[in-house]
Amino acid sequence: MSANATEGTHDGEWLDERETRWRLDRTWSQGRGWLAALSTVDHKQVAKRYFVTAFVFFFLAGVLALLMRLQLSRAENALIGPDLYNQLFTMHGSTMMFLFAVPIMEGLAVYFVPLMCGTRAIAFPRLNAFSYWVYLFGGIMLWVAFALNIGPDAGWFAYTPLSGPEYSPGKRVDFWAQMITFTELSGLAVAIEIVATIFKQRAPGMALNRMPLFLWSMLVMAFMILFAMPSVMLASTFLIMDRLVGTHFFNAAEGGDALLWQHLFWFFGHPEVYIIFIPALGIVSAVVSAFTRRPIFGYPFMVLALIAIGFLGFGLWVHHMFTTGLPRLGSSFYTAASMVIAIPSGIQIYCWIATMWQGKPRFATPLLFVVGFILVFVIGGLTGVMLASVPMDLQLHDTYFVVAHFHYVLIGGAVFPLLAGTYFWYPKVTGRMLSERLGKWNFWTLFIGFNIAFFPMHYLGLAGMPRRVYTYGQGLGWDSLNLVSTVGAVLVAISILILIVNLVRSRKHGEMAGANPWDAPTLEWATPSPPPTYNFRHIPLVASADPLWQHREQLPVMRGLSVDKRELVLTTVLDAKPDVREPVAKPSIWPFISAIAVGAMFIASIFTPWAVIFGSIPAAIAITVWFWPKGAPPPDEEESEP
Amino acid sequence: MDERSTGLHSIGDAMGRHAQDIDALWDVMLWVCGFMYLLVVGFLLLALFRRGPRRDINDHTQAHEERGLSASLATWTGLIALGLFGLTLFSYFTDRSLVQAAADAQIAIKITGHQWWWEIEYTDPNDPSRQLRTANELHLPVGTPVKISLESRDVIHSFWVPSLHGKQDLIPGRDNDIEILADKEGVYRGICAEFCGLQHSKMHLDVVVESKDGYSAWYERQLQAASPPSDPLAERGHGVFMATACNMCHTISGTDAGGSTGPDLTHVASRRFIAAGALQNHRDNMRAWLANPQAIKPGNHMPIVSLSADQLDALTAYLGTLQ
């Protein structure tokens, strides 16, 4: 199956390689200029925006964390007052969870899922553009509010009745609740794109049992988003209605229930942790495999473990509510369910280490971050086991022990893998390698700084320090460890600065990467770095789980897609047999305009309920134009070549 | 740590039956989880740095080794399951014992959470006249099980005295309770553990555990109405209290002051702290608090009442007599 003489087809003629590239470039061009930039539907372009936006939010939320650490560095510190401090931790939590962790994983999926599937575009590319804009507008709205000193201050969990109309007057909490609407709308859209892309656009031959674990993890994440996020959208909508139009969903005095909020929020909130963590597992699998030069040991167990975590993640939410006085016997079931999740997690850890055992580990920066991930995350997992126990939780709930726990889980379980993924995939996205030397500095400062910052918090929690306090008294014995923790936080900040330097410098001065610098096995490495807008000159054919290791010289490819029309091949769900050719949407400005219309409606509805009615008119018009039938004839299916 | 000033406030210093049960569970958890962590780290280091044959993708002759690793995967999974099963059982039985103790409580107390202080009511089922209302300082007899019912008037708070027991939330519209049994005399510190707004950080509670006699004596003292001020300065302070905004929110029994928005001040001078743990209770602190409560606990619901220096001195002196 060599591709030397004959390349693409054009009205039955064979084209040579140069001609094929030229025509594909022309067909898939996203255009130039600012209008084209707002209209692009290239999933890689959109994903890069996700990366940059999410990283900016990560940086901003990190600055807030540093401010909090400075305030807590000594007892009775007067640096920051309670009003600002409460905004700081609310913004830190909300930004990290809703504007950084989930969107960056979504961005990663948007970039790499189509590439790993070996397809030319993401499913529903215009929806994809729309969802990015909605996310961006939601994030900007929240941060503008914060900059104007009307940032939310009721915590990222916004418990009622504290977040209700009586105890949080003003618009602060409304901005928070509406930000939820923005980001969850965006998240749901991305989830649908990911599921559709993975189910229907995998390269011919990539049966489910040949799917890279990264794709499996993104699939599980997408399904979790679909089931978890409606719950928090419902909750935040109830909250806005309580605040804006005087309903009483959460007002006990009028027959509502304050705890209803906690059930709805945590039914989303706990799966949310896994929505962040499961893609990270996919990154780790990709990195471990590439840097030990082995397929991951126990592939079927890994897949089952991912799916098991996806299901079990929905059965644990009550362990956030053990102190609310729910029936104790019932709570014990949630203890058991929470503990069970350690089994699939333990299996995954084992399989990665077993892969390292068999293979030949190469200690490049991505693998270092994976080792850091295991060392840090397992501590978080084990303290999670402790917190799952009702009696332990009665003591530890809402203390700094919990703060330590979930930072070990989220920084260990998501940020370390993300950085592994950054060093791993940066060459694919930019065409240049990141500096290994700075990478090692980045790793060691983060690993050491993180542990100095967060390990002492376990002890502080045991010593009785509650969360969300803007100051604490002298004589409680919390001073010195808080100072240590702050020093660690500064080291983490330095590490992030090293990362930024590396990211910016390597963009221009990094070593050229080539298509597959790490000799990795999956399809995203089968195309130049950075990939062309159409991803693959020819759609690859897959016959194993590690296609690039199986076919060292030349990947077998499928021909027959037009070079003059945007189209891709749909395959069957289970076996990925070629099914039909599917046209792909062209760039359009209307997703952007629709996002503006929808965003304006959301923001205006903070101030008056009438905005929902009048704001829906421009939104409806924009969306109608976006979906207006173009009258294109259906694609001729007989044309496709076997 | 100066125990006299702040009291014990640590899960590790377990001085109540329930806290001790939980502390025992913590020890088991720490050992089991620590052991599992060492296993993981050991396996990881060995996997990364072991000598011996290693294979990469081009080498397909590893069937024997795969079998070994699969067998140890099964063992590993079994070990995790066993460990979890053990911990779940231990946790379950600890929980049962925490709950069962609730049957034989001898004293009934109601605590109501406010932004940002604790209202405490003692009731005597046999004699309604022996009802007692105080704030931010809970007195208990040693070795006696006590049942505390927990309510909230505004937002969710959480009652937590780590040396005695775990937390229990105070939720508007819900009836929760907690039982505690202190084994040792002493002062234990509590703090609100659910974020409840601006001054969540300064919502402490002192628990003074005394001998049974000491407790009875305290109770009898607290039942008394405030004695009228004797010295002229305090008398003037009494006048200030009644003539300005103070009496709108605070009660001093035996006087005309009957407000219920703020803490009952009948025996405020007997308490160790003022403003829910924000300041130690002595003359200078009290004066500073009265002069500008917003400087000490910004955002709290006590307004700044503009008083002259003389009035402040008098009011401070009067409150100091309310033993």
Side-chain angles (χ1 to χ4, degrees), chain A residues 145-160:
Chain A
F146 176 61
L148 298 174
N149 196 27
I150 40 176
D153 58 353
W156 87 278
F157 44 90
Y159 273 9
T160 55

Side-chain angles (χ1 to χ4, degrees), chain B residues 76 81 86 113 247 287 312:
Chain B
W76 172 243
N247 66 351
R287 193 178 187 284
L312 273 176

Side-chain angles (χ1 to χ4, degrees), chain A residues 76 82-84 86 89-90 153-155 157 159-162 167 252 257-260 262 292-295 297-298 301 321-326 328-329 331-332 335-336 339-343 345-347 349-351 353-361 363 367 371 374-376 378-379 382-383 385-399 401 459 461-478 519 546 549 552, chain B residues 1-2 5-7 9-12 18-19 22-23 25-27 29-30 32-34 36-37 40-41 43-50 53-60 62 65-66 68-74 76-77 80-81 83-85 87-88 90-92 94-96 98-99 115 153-156 158 160-176 189 191-202 204 278 296-299:
Chain A
E76 308 278 10
D83 182 61
L84 179 58
N86 293 351
F89 74 69
T90 303
D153 58 353
F157 44 90
Y159 273 9
T160 55
L162 181 62
Y167 300 102
D257 189 349
L259 271 192
L260 172 65
Q262 296 190 25
T292 56
R293 303 176 49 71
R294 293 284 306 174
F297 172 84
F301 301 117
M321 301 168 61
F322 283 158
T323 65
T324 57
L326 293 175
R328 286 288 266 278
L329 195 59
S331 297
S332 297
T335 295
M339 290 207 175
V340 165
I341 212 157
I343 295 179
S345 309
I347 289 175
I349 299 279
Y350 178 91
C351 289
I353 300 182
T355 311
M356 297 177 193
W357 177 283
Q358 289 181 312
K360 296 177 174 164
F363 288 94
L367 192 68
V371 172
I374 293 176
L375 290 175
V376 171
V378 173
I379 292 182
L382 290 167
T383 51
V385 167
M386 297 174 179
L387 288 167
S389 148
V390 175
M392 289 307 306
D393 186 70
L394 291 181
Q395 280 286 27
L396 298 173
H397 182 72
D398 271 340
T399 67
F401 189 91
Y459 180 82
L462 291 168
M465 182 166 169
R467 294 170 73 177
R468 300 160 188 146
V469 291
Y470 75 97
T471 190
Y472 52 90
Q474 275 155 348
L476 287 158
W478 301 339
D519 188 22
D546 305 295
W549 284 345
R552 288 260 161 216
Chain B
M1 182 161 71
D2 183 1
S5 67
T6 51
H9 184 88
S10 173
I11 296 170
H18 307 86
I22 300 175
D23 203 33
L25 176 62
W26 159 256
D27 287 340
M29 289 261 177
L30 187 62
V32 173
C33 292
M36 296 302 272
Y37 188 65
V40 172
V41 173
F43 184 33
L44 175 66
L45 292 179
L46 220 59
L48 287 173
F49 300 112
R50 79 186 175 98
R54 287 178 176 277
R55 299 180 169 85
D56 68 7
I57 186 62
N58 302 315
D59 190 340
H60 295 284
Q62 74 311 52
E65 199 173 75
E66 288 270 335
L69 282 171
S70 299
S72 52
L73 171 60
W76 172 243
T77 311
I80 298 177
L84 292 175
F85 185 68
L87 291 180
T88 308
F90 201 146
S91 157
Y92 175 77
T94 306
D95 193 46
R96 288 292 92 191
L98 294 183
V99 178
Q115 280 180 325
R153 281 294 154 71
D154 38 45
V155 302
I156 301 177
S158 192
W160 185 39
V161 186
S163 293
L164 298 180
H165 199 329
K167 305 170 185 69
Q168 194 63 243
D169 291 353
L170 298 77
I171 303 173
R174 292 205 164 230
D175 300 323
N176 280 344
R189 184 143 251 229
I191 189 167
C192 175
E194 183 59 78
F195 178 60
C196 57
L198 267 186
Q199 282 300 340
H200 166 59
S201 315
K202 294 187 177 171
H204 291 275
I296 289 155
K297 205 166 158 179

Side-chain angles (χ1 to χ4, degrees), chain A residues 4-343:
Chain A
N4 296 334
T6 55
E7 281 286 328
T9 52
H10 168 66
D11 296 337
E13 296 168 42
W14 292 103
L15 304 172
D16 67 11
E17 185 186 328
R18 243 189 60 216
E19 180 77 5
T20 311
R21 280 183 200 283
W22 185 80
R23 283 177 187 266
L24 279 170
D25 271 331
R26 193 186 54 184
T27 307
W28 289 83
S29 161
Q30 301 293 318
R32 284 176 193 286
W34 61 270
L35 192 64
L38 297 179
S39 308
T40 185
V41 291
D42 179 8
H43 68 97
K44 299 177 292 299
Q45 198 59 38
V46 173
K48 281 197 268 183
R49 291 173 187 172
Y50 267 107
F51 296 155
V52 173
T53 314
F55 188 84
V56 168
F57 283 129
F58 172 71
F59 182 82
L60 291 172
V63 171
L64 302 188
L66 210 54
L67 289 174
M68 288 191 282
R69 280 314 327 162
L70 288 179
Q71 164 66 11
L72 292 180
S73 59
R74 59 200 181 102
E76 308 278 10
N77 198 353
L79 183 70
I80 294 171
D83 182 61
L84 179 58
Y85 190 88
N86 293 351
Q87 287 184 67
L88 289 183
F89 74 69
T90 303
M91 287 295 291
H92 171 77
S94 305
T95 302
M96 284 296 192
M97 296 299 275
F98 294 107
L99 301 178
F100 163 65
V102 174
I104 195 106
M105 295 302 179
E106 289 167 355
L108 209 58
V110 167
Y111 198 101
F112 286 105
V113 163
L115 284 170
M116 275 200 199
C117 283
T119 187
R120 287 201 164 149
I122 196 166
F124 315 122
R126 288 184 182 178
L127 182 64
N128 187 37
F130 173 78
S131 56
Y132 168 75
W133 296 119
V134 168
Y135 152 62
L136 178 70
F137 297 155
I140 290 176
M141 175 199 70
L142 187 72
W143 273 81
V144 167
F146 176 61
L148 298 174
N149 196 27
I150 40 176
D153 58 353
W156 87 278
F157 44 90
Y159 273 9
T160 55
L162 181 62
S163 62
E166 202 176 346
Y167 300 102
S168 290
K171 293 295 173 194
R172 287 180 161 185
V173 173
D174 298 292
F175 284 109
W176 179 87
Q178 210 56 295
M179 180 275 293
I180 300 291
T181 317
F182 274 101
T183 54
E184 308 307 87
L185 173 62
S186 156
L188 285 169
V190 174
I192 290 167
E193 297 150 25
I194 294 169
V195 171
T197 308
I198 293 179
F199 273 168
K200 290 303 291 176
Q201 293 181 210
R202 298 197 309 279
M206 191 190 283
L208 283 183
N209 60 352
R210 291 175 188 157
M211 246 165 67
L213 287 165
F214 181 85
L215 287 184
W216 273 111
S217 69
M218 286 301 182
L219 185 64
V220 173
M221 171 193 84
F223 271 108
M224 291 191 77
I225 289 178
L226 289 180
F227 286 99
M229 289 198 173
S231 173
V232 73
M233 279 182 89
L234 184 72
S236 70
T237 307
F238 282 173
L239 180 61
I240 292 173
M241 287 167 72
D242 268 14
R243 294 177 57 85
L244 198 65
V245 294
T247 56
H248 295 287
F249 287 105
F250 305 118
N251 182 0
E254 296 289 340
D257 189 349
L259 271 192
L260 172 65
W261 170 267
Q262 296 190 25
H263 282 291
L264 288 173
F265 186 80
W266 290 118
F267 185 78
F268 146 81
H270 200 85
E272 165 92 340
V273 177
Y274 293 97
I275 287 170
I276 294 164
F277 173 56
I278 284 181
L281 300 178
I283 302 173
V284 171
S285 292
V287 170
V288 167
S289 178
F291 288 85
T292 56
R293 303 176 49 71
R294 293 284 306 174
I296 294 292
F297 172 84
Y299 176 91
F301 301 117
M302 293 294 274
V303 173
L304 290 176
L306 281 173
I307 296 172
I309 293 174
F311 273 101
L312 291 171
F314 283 94
L316 325 175
W317 82 96
V318 172
H319 76 211
H320 296 267
M321 301 168 61
F322 283 158
T323 65
T324 57
L326 293 175
R328 286 288 266 278
L329 195 59
S331 297
S332 297
F333 288 100
Y334 290 92
T335 295
S338 309
M339 290 207 175
V340 165
I341 212 157
I343 295 179

Side-chain angles (χ1 to χ4, degrees), chain B:
Chain B
M1 182 161 71
D2 183 1
E3 286 180 26
R4 255 183 337 167
S5 67
T6 51
L8 285 179
H9 184 88
S10 173
I11 296 170
D13 298 324
M15 298 297 173
R17 238 231 15 234
H18 307 86
Q20 286 156 5
D21 284 356
I22 300 175
D23 203 33
L25 176 62
W26 159 256
D27 287 340
V28 176
M29 289 261 177
L30 187 62
W31 282 106
V32 173
C33 292
F35 175 71
M36 296 302 272
Y37 188 65
L38 289 183
L39 278 185
V40 172
V41 173
F43 184 33
L44 175 66
L45 292 179
L46 220 59
L48 287 173
F49 300 112
R50 79 186 175 98
R51 297 173 181 214
R54 287 178 176 277
R55 299 180 169 85
D56 68 7
I57 186 62
N58 302 315
D59 190 340
H60 295 284
T61 58
Q62 74 311 52
H64 173 69
E65 199 173 75
E66 288 270 335
R67 264 205 303 281
L69 282 171
S70 299
S72 52
L73 171 60
T75 316
W76 172 243
T77 311
L79 190 66
I80 298 177
L82 193 72
L84 292 175
F85 185 68
L87 291 180
T88 308
L89 269 191
F90 201 146
S91 157
Y92 175 77
F93 285 116
T94 306
D95 193 46
R96 288 292 92 191
S97 85
L98 294 183
V99 178
Q100 256 153 30
D104 45 3
Q106 291 171 19
I107 296 179
I109 298 170
K110 185 171 100 176
I111 293 187
T112 307
H114 295 269
Q115 280 180 325
W116 294 276
W117 60 282
W118 307 89
E119 182 183 348
I120 301 169
E121 285 170 90
Y122 291 74
T123 45
D124 189 330
N126 305 319
D127 186 356
S129 71
R130 290 175 56 79
Q131 182 170 335
L132 186 64
R133 190 188 296 265
T134 178
N136 301 331
E137 192 172 298
L138 184 64
H139 283 248
L140 300 175
V142 71
T144 313
V146 180
K147 189 168 182 179
I148 303 174
S149 55
L150 302 167
E151 292 176 15
S152 170
R153 281 294 154 71
D154 38 45
V155 302
I156 301 177
H157 304 277
S158 192
F159 176 87
W160 185 39
V161 186
S163 293
L164 298 180
H165 199 329
K167 305 170 185 69
Q168 194 63 243
D169 291 353
L170 298 77
I171 303 173
R174 292 205 164 230
D175 300 323
N176 280 344
D177 52 57
I178 189 169
E179 198 210 56
I180 49 183
L181 169 54
D183 280 346
K184 268 209 180 110
E185 293 176 33
V187 180
Y188 308 108
R189 184 143 251 229
I191 189 167
C192 175
E194 183 59 78
F195 178 60
C196 57
L198 267 186
Q199 282 300 340
H200 166 59
S201 315
K202 294 187 177 171
M203 187 169 164
H204 291 275
L205 172 84
D206 269 325
V207 182
V208 180
V209 177
E210 300 170 285
S211 67
K212 285 180 182 158
D213 292 345
Y215 168 77
S216 303
W218 172 85
Y219 198 93
E220 296 307 323
R221 250 192 343 270
Q222 297 283 312
L223 277 176
Q224 320 243 310
S227 41
S230 47
D231 73 295
L233 186 66
E235 203 164 335
R236 255 191 319 129
H238 173 81
V240 172
F241 192 95
M242 296 304 159
T244 60
C246 310
N247 66 351
M248 313 275 279
C249 297
H250 296 283
T251 294
I252 297 175
S253 68
T255 73
D256 292 340
S260 59
T261 312
D264 187 306
L265 300 179
T266 310
H267 298 282
V268 65
S270 73
R271 296 183 208 145
R272 296 155 38 84
F273 282 84
I274 44 182
L279 292 172
Q280 284 193 35
N281 192 359
H282 55 69
R283 203 173 56 99
D284 294 346
N285 277 347
M286 181 60 95
R287 193 178 187 284
W289 170 256
L290 294 172
N292 187 356
Q294 295 300 324
I296 289 155
K297 205 166 158 179
N300 86 81
H301 295 317
M302 177 155 159
I304 302 173
V305 179
S306 65
L307 298 171
S308 69
D310 284 352
Q311 285 175 313
L312 273 176
D313 289 337
L315 189 57
T316 309
Y318 171 58
L319 292 177
T321 65
L322 298 175
Q323 280 293 337

